């Protein structure tokens, strides 16, 4: 795993602790999981992960739309499901998507602080590739 990817995992683990379920990076061409909890891996075995990531790629269009409609820059999206919360953002000029799931907690999470940390890491690494191995793209868990 690249240093940038390892630091990203560390940031998400620090933010979510044991509630972190999964962490993915993706772009227009591929995807890779950086962290996948065993129980989540088992649940994903019966799903087509590529369709799941393809759906998140629609966020590129949403991001561009928000950038033209609002007076503020788009930052991130959080979705609530019955068993977990899902966070998605984009970093860099390409951009690279970052997607993570967390068990639902009883206390609110400061997703804005997480987004700021991800942006700081992106700046620190100068947009260095988050994919740990470009040949590993489109890899199933």
């Amino acid at each position: 795993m690249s240093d940038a990817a390892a630091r990203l995992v560390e940031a998400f683990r620090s933010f979510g602790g044991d509630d972190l379920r999964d962490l993915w990076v993706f772009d227009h061409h591929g995807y890779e999981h950086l962290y996948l909890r065993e129980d989540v891996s088992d649940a994903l075995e019966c799903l087509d992960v590529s369709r799941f990531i393809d759906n998140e790629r629609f966020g590129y269009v949403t991001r561009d739309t928000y950038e033209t409609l609002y007076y503020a820059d788009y930052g991130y999206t959080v979705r609530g499901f019955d068993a977990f919360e899902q966070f998605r953002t984009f970093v860099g000029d390409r951009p690279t998507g970052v997607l993570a799931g967390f068990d639902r907690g009883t206390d609110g999470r400061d997703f804005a602080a997480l987004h700021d940390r991800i942006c700081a890491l992106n700046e620190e690494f100068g947009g260095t590739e988050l994919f740990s191995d470009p040949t590993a793209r489109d890899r199933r868990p």
Side-chain angles (χ1 to χ4, degrees):
M1 179 178 294
S2 71
D3 191 35
R7 294 278 303 282
L8 186 66
V9 171
E10 178 183 309
F12 273 84
R13 291 281 297 157
S14 176
F15 177 79
D18 292 337
D19 286 345
L20 179 63
R21 299 167 58 87
D22 54 343
L23 174 59
W24 305 79
V25 291
F26 61 93
D27 61 12
H28 290 289
H29 308 290
Y31 66 90
E32 181 179 5
H33 73 273
L34 300 180
Y35 177 85
L36 192 57
R37 212 170 63 192
E38 188 174 335
D39 61 318
V40 175
S41 178
D42 293 344
L44 292 178
E45 283 184 14
C46 63
L47 299 177
D48 182 354
V49 174
S50 63
R51 287 188 63 206
F52 171 71
I53 297 297
D54 280 344
N55 185 64
E56 293 307 318
R57 287 187 180 110
F58 285 117
Y60 288 118
V61 174
T62 303
R63 177 179 179 247
D64 292 343
T65 301
Y66 286 156
E67 292 288 328
T68 60
L69 291 177
Y70 291 99
Y71 56 87
D73 292 335
Y74 168 83
Y76 58 92
T77 298
V78 177
R79 295 185 196 102
F81 294 88
D82 64 350
F84 62 93
E85 295 174 308
Q86 187 179 62
F87 169 90
R88 183 193 66 212
T89 191
F90 299 96
V91 295
D93 295 331
R94 277 189 19 210
T96 297
V98 179
L99 176 70
F102 299 91
D103 291 334
R104 291 188 68 165
T106 55
D107 297 330
R109 289 193 172 90
D110 187 354
F111 287 105
L114 176 61
H115 179 257
D116 292 346
R117 179 70 181 125
I118 294 165
C119 290
L121 281 171
N122 187 59
E123 286 182 28
E124 180 181 337
F125 284 92
T128 299
E129 189 72 37
L130 285 174
F131 289 97
S132 62
D133 177 4
T135 63
R137 291 185 176 194
D138 292 331
R139 190 174 68 175
R140 286 196 55 107

